[in-house]
DNA sequence: CTGAAAGCGCTTACAG
DNA sequence: CTGAAAGCGCTTACAG
């Protein structure tokens, strides 16, 4: 528990100036090799580590990215945190994590701004206009992850975003279901104001129209387990007009739907009804669910986020939106058509080569 | 994208000194009410926010806590992150998140130390002795979450930790299973060197001894889904000596076990074999699993972590270990004895009052 | 290659 | 209650 070791202490021991110490720890700075060696030895001896706070103050770069999340129960987000955090660590950045319910988002942002983060990734709430203004004002790059800015919210400015090609993803599912002979296709939305949900629904409807169909039923689950359950019960209340397929805006709700259909309504999946999700969370591959879904490519989404972030940190001012392709992962929750389609096991969560 | 607004800018506009501006933003500092008012107005007008980096430099308090995690696939950890992060935000602290595989833990720690965090919560790897030394050297409080320090690793120093009463938890399960008439009770360990796993196993064995039993079989799943599956297949290979109960060191592995037993071995739970987990993750309550488990009280664990952290930040030097009580949550994966025990539904993940 | 000096944006005794 | 001044631990022109 000694007093903190500073560059001055190291300088004294190595008999150089404090500037030299600083240079010895700055990649690319001009220091004689043996000087640097001497300094590093002294530093090691004293247990010196450059103070990143002091460095940030003078360089005006904190190398900290603020990551704003809301609920982590949907297993998609832990995966995102893990990947994003690791990638940014390798880039020499660090992640200051904020958990924010929609209501206090503004307070959270105030906190973030005080910490002089170099950029912000928002993977939770939609950005309020006040926040957006603050960020633009402060010149802090913001990237929306898995959502896009609502037009009009930002007073003319737009904000960069990274999403999947949600509409295409929705269309793939619509084509699969319609092509398989489903005729009473239902949609379980996330939140009505969530771009992810709206886009996926639009894609679904595109495919249905093309097949001469329209949505048979529609519910809203707010991306929540219990709410999804209620919505499913409502959609399936009338046995005479039950859907023969249910596409859910994410896997989290699709799993809730599976549970509800089986346990509470006694329905067999896919025999009585097909179910499809979106995300491809780890649980979707568990045998109990074996859920057909659309995979969001987290790897690519994270890469795009880093690229956008660094471009903006580097001075690029144009906001850009990147949409990453997604792919259908066919598992066991969709009834195969009588025709020719055989169920394809695209992916399993484990390699059973060893027993 | 204007230049950053500083206290000087505000001072100029409000016609006061820069010191006054600082005081106006320091709770409890002596400023005349109308001066403060004038300053806040000017600040609002300019969009001023105190620079937390500069403040940290001079106060030598960053109000940042480093949180070190490894894998987030086990749903217990996202829950911990969420709770801990929210609690610390309310305490005026923020969380710098590090994802660290066991190997690069030392590099991660170097990063953390440079950021002058006020404290560290380690919820992943065991602390290497080098790290521990660095932290003690630097006088940075460390709290281990859900694990305890390995004796000897720390060169005589000990490190604070927060865990559940894991041995008691293990004992509860042992008593439940033995009391229910199970006689061939197996244990699926996490990692051999993990204190959580060892303690839970010890508790189980306590109860078995008391009942005149001993462990029937034993596997190691390394807290991993695929490895747990392999271990289960190995333990159940011989139909003649199959366990009649399996206690897994956490829910994540218990779910893997359920899947494997049902899907690959065609066994019915709990008819053919009982399964118990540990943690009570959200998935444990899903109808497909309906897993009997031991609940770790995350709320209390987080509270204890904050208390320990703040005590140490406040100068307390003695390391303390807190063990929080845990409770058995009986669901549907344990066979009831012929005698009198009826299955008690302690908890469900949703309230079915509304349909 | 190296050192002296200025300064990043704050907080905090110290006078008044 | 308020201001002038020192200083937190660094980086970075600027000379030499």
């Amino acid at each position: 528990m000694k007093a903190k070791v500073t560059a001055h202490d190291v300088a004294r021991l190595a008999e150089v100036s404090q500037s030299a110490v600083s240079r010895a720890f700055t990649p690319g700075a001009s220091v004689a090799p043996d000087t640097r060696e001497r300094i590093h030895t002294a530093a090691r001896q004293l247990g010196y580590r450059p103070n990143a706070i002091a460095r940030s103050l003078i360089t005006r770069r904190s190398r900290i990215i603020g990551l704003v999340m809301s609920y982590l129960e949907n297993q998609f987000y832990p995966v995102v945190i893990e990947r994003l955090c690791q990638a940014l660590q390798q880039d020499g950045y660090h992640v200051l994590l904020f958990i924010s319910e929609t209501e206090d988002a503004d307070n959270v942002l105030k906190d973030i701004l005080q910490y002089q983060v170099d950029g912000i990734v928002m993977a939770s709430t939609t950005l309020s206009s006040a926040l957006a203004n603050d960020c633009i004002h402060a010149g802090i790059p913001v990237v929306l992850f898995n959502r896009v800015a609502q037009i009009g919210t930002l007073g003319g400015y737009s904000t960069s975003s990274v999403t999947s090609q949600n509409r295409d993803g929705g269309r793939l599912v619509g084509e699969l279901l319609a092509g398989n002979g489903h005729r009473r296709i239902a949609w379980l939305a996330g939140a009505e104001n969530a771009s992810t949900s709206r886009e996926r629904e639009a894609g679904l409807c595109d495919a249905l129209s093309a097949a001469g169909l329209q949505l048979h039923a529609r519910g809203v689950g707010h991306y929540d387990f219990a709410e999804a359950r209620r919505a499913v019960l409502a959609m399936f209340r009338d046995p005479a007009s039950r859907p023969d397929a249910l596409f859910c805006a994410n896997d989290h709700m699709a799993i809730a739907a599976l549970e509800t259909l089986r346990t509470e309504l006694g329905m067999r999946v896919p025999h009585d009804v097909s179910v499809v999700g979106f995300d491809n969370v780890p649980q979707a591959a568990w045998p109990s669910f074996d859920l057909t879904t659309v995979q969001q490519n987290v790897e690519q989404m994270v890469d795009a986020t880093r690229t956008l972030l660094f471009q903006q940190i580097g001075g690029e001012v144009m906001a850009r939106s990147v949409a990453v392709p997604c792919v259908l992962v066919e598992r066991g929750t969709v009834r195969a058509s009588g025709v020719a389609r055989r169920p394809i096991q695209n992916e399993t969560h484990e390699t059973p080569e060893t027993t």
Side-chain angles (χ1 to χ4, degrees), chain A residues 126-133 148-157 159:
Chain A
T126 45
L127 202 55
S128 90
S129 59
L131 295 186
N133 270 327
V148 297
Q150 291 169 279
I151 317 256
T153 333
L154 302 182
Y157 291 92
T159 307

Side-chain angles (χ1 to χ4, degrees), chain A residues 31-226:
Chain A
V31 211
D34 56 322
T35 312
R36 156 173 279 132
E37 189 50 50
R38 198 147 37 89
I39 293 171
H40 278 151
T41 308
R44 215 170 305 120
Q45 209 170 313
L46 297 174
Y48 169 73
R49 302 190 185 300
N51 182 326
I53 297 280
R55 172 183 295 152
S56 299
L57 186 57
I58 194 135
T59 58
R60 285 128 159 250
R61 292 265 114 116
S62 61
R63 300 194 78 84
I64 292 178
I65 301 294
L67 174 59
V68 186
M69 291 264 164
S70 51
Y71 69 133
L72 301 183
E73 190 170 337
N74 172 358
Q75 194 46 44
F76 179 66
Y77 287 108
V79 171
V80 169
I81 290 184
E82 198 171 327
R83 296 289 176 80
L84 189 60
C85 208
Q86 284 187 307
L88 288 174
Q89 275 172 222
Q90 291 189 339
D91 297 326
Y93 280 81
H94 294 93
V95 169
L96 202 57
L97 181 66
F98 293 83
I99 302 289
S100 130
E101 306 305 320
T102 330
E103 299 80 37
D104 60 14
D106 283 55
N107 284 321
V108 162
L109 248 281
K110 271 177 205 148
D111 278 7
I112 298 194
L113 293 179
Q114 294 204 351
Y115 275 97
Q116 317 298 117
V117 296
D118 291 344
I120 296 176
V121 177
M122 303 230 13
S124 71
T125 50
T126 45
L127 202 55
S128 90
S129 59
L131 295 186
N133 270 327
D134 285 358
C135 292
I136 289 165
H137 232 77
I140 299 184
V142 174
V143 176
L144 301 180
F145 188 98
N146 204 30
R147 60 236 321 124
V148 297
Q150 291 169 279
I151 317 256
T153 333
L154 302 182
Y157 291 92
S158 66
T159 307
S160 289
S161 61
V162 175
T163 60
S164 286
Q165 292 174 357
N166 287 309
R167 189 158 187 159
D168 286 348
R171 194 178 298 125
L172 287 176
V173 173
E175 287 165 359
L176 172 71
L177 294 174
N180 266 0
H182 297 82
R183 287 298 170 260
R184 298 190 307 281
I185 299 172
W187 165 248
L188 179 55
E192 292 291 12
N193 66 345
S195 60
T196 45
S197 185
R198 287 200 315 264
E199 289 289 308
R200 291 165 195 174
E201 180 173 1
L204 172 65
C205 292
D206 290 347
L208 296 194
S209 299
L213 296 173
Q214 53 186 31
L215 223 47
H216 175 74
R218 190 176 184 286
V220 182
H222 297 101
Y223 288 134
D224 176 80
F225 205 95

Side-chain angles (χ1 to χ4, degrees), chain A residues 261-277:
Chain A
L261 291 167
R262 288 174 179 159
T263 312
E264 302 192 57
L265 297 171
M267 296 180 76
R268 287 160 302 171
V269 177
H271 185 276
D272 300 325
V273 58
S274 294
V275 174
V276 182

Side-chain angles (χ1 to χ4, degrees), chain A residues 3-55:
Chain A
K4 208 139 277 178
V5 180
T6 74
H8 273 107
D9 302 324
V10 177
R12 204 170 305 127
L13 182 60
E15 300 182 297
V16 292
S17 71
Q18 181 268 132
S19 324
V21 176
S22 174
R23 289 193 194 96
F25 283 91
T26 306
S30 72
V31 211
D34 56 322
T35 312
R36 156 173 279 132
E37 189 50 50
R38 198 147 37 89
I39 293 171
H40 278 151
T41 308
R44 215 170 305 120
Q45 209 170 313
L46 297 174
Y48 169 73
R49 302 190 185 300
N51 182 326
I53 297 280
R55 172 183 295 152

Side-chain angles (χ1 to χ4, degrees), chain A residues 322-341:
Chain A
V322 175
V324 167
C326 42
V327 321
L328 192 62
V329 178
E330 295 191 55
R331 295 204 184 90
T333 52
V334 171
R335 191 188 63 200
S337 72
V339 198
R341 187 182 288 275

